[in-house]
Amino acid sequence: MDSSFDVVIIGTGPGGEGAAMHLAKNRKSVAVVERFRQVGGGSTHWGTIPSKSLRHAIFQLAEANRNPLLRSAAISLQLPFAQLRKAANSVIDKQVEMRNTYFERNGVTIVSGHARFVDPHTIEAEESNGARHRLRAKSFVIAVGARPYHPPDVDFSYPRIFDSDKILSLSEMPQSITVYGAGVVGCEYASMFRNLNVKVNLINTRSKLLEFLDDEIIDALSYHMRDQGMLLRYNEEYENVKPAEDGVVLALKSGKQIKTDVLLWANGRTGNTDSLGLENVGLTPDGRGQLAVNENLQTAASHIYAVGDVIGYPSLASAAYVQGRYAAAHILGHAEPAMIRNIPTGIYTSPEISSVGQTERQLTDAKIPYEIGHAAFKNLARAQITGQTVGMLKILFHRKTLQVLGVHCFGANASEIIHIGQAILAQSGPANTLMYFINTTFNYPTMAEAYRVAALNGYNRVF
Ligand SMILES: Cc1cc2nc3c(=O)[nH]c(=O)nc-3n(C[C@H](O)[C@H](O)[C@H](O)COP(=O)(O)OP(=O)(O)OC[C@H]3O[C@@H](n4cnc5c(N)ncnc54)[C@H](O)[C@@H]3O)c2cc1C
């Protein structure tokens, strides 16, 4: 095969799909190259979808075991990890089928194989059987994602040492686990294992959990993780990881030693830029395999865009998709920068966390006079009914203009209800106002009602 396209995209995860759909719908000829046997990317096969399906299965099991009726009948449910993990398979199948249909229906050519640039306007895709296809294009979008970072001195072939991909194939439920690295993936898996009653050590190399969040949310997360019985260690760095017959010993530079049944290494990710032939187009990734881009998501070669995990933070499927769309819009000449501003975060720890806009720290540093409105979930009728009373929503707003500047939330449904705040925060001029939440009728009883409660709480502070 030897073909020319307007745009060739490398990778069919959310970044590649977002770009492909927008270009195809705008009548560009598009090819996507994918080296995995199915479309969907890491997001569908070893990231978002399997981890969130697993989390849901664990949540259901934990809920059942907390159910007072079952407890009074002395019923306790236990399921093997593999069975919990199986819950994801049908979702993955549905996602793959659906995404294949999107590509096909929109006339996007799917090319199998590992892509590498041979010159600035040509890539070669090599299939596992050695067959090669050359594709030429005016523009390219690199959406190759990232993989877990493997330090050379940690033996990942040892069956008790896992990364976030391998953990999905855990065969037996451990009694104890050490999670090294307290980023989003580390915190999410630590929460999942704790919900399975596994003893969890969460080792943070930094002084705070998830530093990009608002401090009050960070404090709440660490409080609740400890309250659930997790052991958290901060400012630690590993000295070595030693496999033992009956476990794994993590030695820390501080002199501490931690032995658990298994270890999950969740410290860092590497962009999939090696063997992409970047030297043939004059691009050099950084030490983490990531590509630098400008505000239009163009690399140093302006006809080559990069989106998603390969450009680093925020490394979310949601962000990758919108970045893909943005790169496509820029190729088409109608990019709207607001598209990639104020991307919300959704973090599926226990409790769940979500936020959008600026944090108190950022507003204080920028000397913006803000006020805060809080709503504690324990005071909401809906939370009292469902029993999910842990949580809080806070709105940060300008004390003079009442402009909403940030919304930060943790607890049940946090990642859903954040979008109400996002919709107001995204408005320009007087349409972005705290008064929206005060003058709007919210269904009752709902978690969304937290907005009215928080807005009134904050408004009452203004003088
Ligand atoms: C455990 C875990 C949980 C997560 N949970 C969430 C979540 O809840 N919400 C959320 O928003 N995000 C979540 N993420 C992050 C999310 O998965 C990523 O941000 C997202 O997948 C990035 O999309 P992408 O398109 O950049 O890359 P990917 O989805 O990784 O797709 C990249 C694709 O490119 C292909 N590829 C790579 N190199 C080549 C090549 N040379 N030639 C051809 N094909 C190539 C790969 O095979 C892959 O299919 C999670 C990640 C992990 C690891």
Side-chain angles (χ1 to χ4, degrees):
M1 187 169 87
D2 195 333
S3 314
S4 291
F5 295 88
D6 289 323
V7 186
V8 167
I9 297 163
I10 310 175
T12 60
E17 183 186 315
M21 291 306 123
H22 199 57
L23 288 161
K25 283 189 191 297
N26 283 280
R27 300 182 201 293
K28 293 284 172 192
S29 59
V30 184
V32 289
V33 187
E34 176 54 61
R35 67 183 178 187
F36 190 61
R37 60 190 152 76
Q38 290 175 322
V39 300
S43 175
T44 302
H45 297 284
W46 48 86
T48 317
I49 297 298
S51 71
K52 298 302 103 74
S53 304
L54 176 64
R55 178 186 187 260
H56 183 67
I58 292 172
F59 184 75
Q60 282 181 310
L61 183 67
E63 277 292 281
N65 283 332
R66 275 195 288 263
N67 184 310
L69 283 176
L70 293 183
R71 284 171 80 118
S72 66
I75 296 173
S76 165
L77 305 170
Q78 302 298 330
L79 287 175
F81 189 85
Q83 198 168 335
L84 292 165
R85 167 68 181 85
K86 259 191 210 154
N89 293 348
S90 67
V91 186
I92 293 173
D93 290 347
K94 282 187 199 129
Q95 287 281 321
V96 170
E97 195 185 323
M98 197 177 76
R99 294 187 189 291
N100 257 327
T101 318
Y102 294 162
F103 286 117
E104 279 165 19
R105 209 169 43 205
N106 287 286
V108 174
T109 304
I110 302 177
V111 180
S112 286
H114 175 96
R116 57 183 293 279
F117 284 95
V118 288
D119 69 46
H121 285 278
T122 313
I123 63 156
E124 189 169 81
E126 183 175 358
E127 289 190 61
S128 49
N129 63 8
R132 291 174 183 213
H133 314 288
R134 285 217 163 186
L135 311 172
R136 286 189 58 78
K138 294 182 202 121
S139 307
F140 295 85
V141 180
I142 299 176
V144 291
R147 61 180 183 274
Y149 168 68
H150 282 188
D153 54 347
V154 177
D155 179 7
F156 285 87
S157 68
Y158 182 62
R160 290 174 183 271
I161 298 179
F162 294 84
D163 64 21
S164 63
D165 292 352
K166 192 176 153 193
I167 197 76
L168 294 165
S169 54
L170 182 75
S171 53
E172 269 178 50
M173 193 75 80
Q175 301 262 310
S176 58
I177 185 168
T178 296
V179 179
Y180 184 80
V184 175
V185 171
C187 286
E188 287 189 353
Y189 270 109
S191 282
M192 279 191 248
F193 280 102
R194 192 59 207 129
N195 277 326
L196 285 166
N197 267 330
V198 175
K199 283 186 194 147
V200 176
N201 298 289
L202 178 61
I203 312 300
N204 192 0
T205 55
R206 297 165 183 259
S207 59
K208 287 178 175 198
L209 294 175
L210 310 176
E211 281 162 338
F212 54 90
L213 292 173
D214 189 86
D215 285 333
E216 206 172 345
I217 305 289
I218 298 174
D219 290 348
L221 178 65
S222 40
Y223 168 80
H224 286 289
M225 281 182 150
R226 282 199 162 117
D227 191 51
Q228 289 155 13
M230 233 183 257
L231 195 106
L232 268 66
R233 301 247 185 243
Y234 291 93
N235 293 314
E236 298 283 6
E237 208 182 321
Y238 84 106
E239 176 76 42
N240 56 57
V241 178
K242 291 244 163 73
E245 210 168 288
D246 55 347
V248 183
V249 179
L250 172 71
L252 297 168
K253 285 199 171 147
S254 61
K256 298 181 192 80
Q257 302 236 352
I258 299 167
K259 184 176 177 192
T260 45
D261 289 351
V262 296
L263 179 130
L264 169 61
W265 187 273
N267 199 35
R269 294 182 66 80
T270 307
N272 290 323
T273 45
D274 42 335
S275 61
L276 201 54
L278 291 178
E279 63 285 358
N280 298 327
V281 290
L283 293 178
T284 313
D286 67 13
R288 294 178 186 180
Q290 291 174 359
L291 284 168
V293 289
N294 66 11
E295 68 281 7
N296 298 318
L297 305 178
Q298 289 164 296
T299 64
S302 60
H303 68 295
I304 302 177
Y305 293 72
V307 301
D309 283 12
V310 75
I311 62 168
Y313 185 81
S315 293
L316 290 170
S318 51
Y321 188 84
V322 77
Q323 287 167 353
R325 271 181 63 88
Y326 182 86
H330 196 262
I331 292 168
L332 293 161
H334 62 236
E336 175 49 66
M339 276 172 78
I340 47 174
R341 240 183 257 141
N342 282 328
I343 290 174
T345 53
I347 300 166
Y348 298 90
T349 40
S350 301
E352 183 172 311
I353 293 170
S354 200
S355 68
V356 65
Q358 299 184 77
T359 62
E360 285 201 58
R361 215 181 311 139
Q362 288 168 329
L363 293 170
T364 304
D365 288 349
K367 296 194 168 49
I368 294 171
Y370 68 92
E371 200 41 273
I372 313 171
H374 281 104
F377 283 8
K378 65 180 181 205
N379 298 326
L380 299 177
R382 178 70 176 202
Q384 290 165 2
I385 292 165
T386 59
Q388 294 179 310
T389 49
V390 168
M392 180 268 283
L393 177 118
K394 85 174 188 187
I395 306 174
L396 306 178
F397 59 96
H398 196 289
R399 58 173 295 122
K400 290 209 176 78
T401 63
L402 303 186
Q403 181 192 359
V404 177
L405 302 166
V407 181
H408 306 275
C409 185
F410 73 92
N413 301 91
S415 57
E416 297 284 352
I417 64 173
I418 200 71
H419 296 298
I420 300 167
Q422 182 192 27
I424 298 305
L425 194 135
Q427 303 298 315
S428 51
N432 175 351
T433 173
L434 184 79
M435 297 314 287
Y436 171 82
F437 304 121
I438 294 175
N439 296 330
T440 294
T441 306
F442 286 93
N443 280 333
Y444 180 81
T446 55
M447 298 308 283
E449 208 208 337
Y451 279 95
R452 187 176 49 77
V453 177
L456 282 168
N457 174 265
Y459 190 61
N460 287 338
R461 287 184 215 266
V462 178
F463 55 89

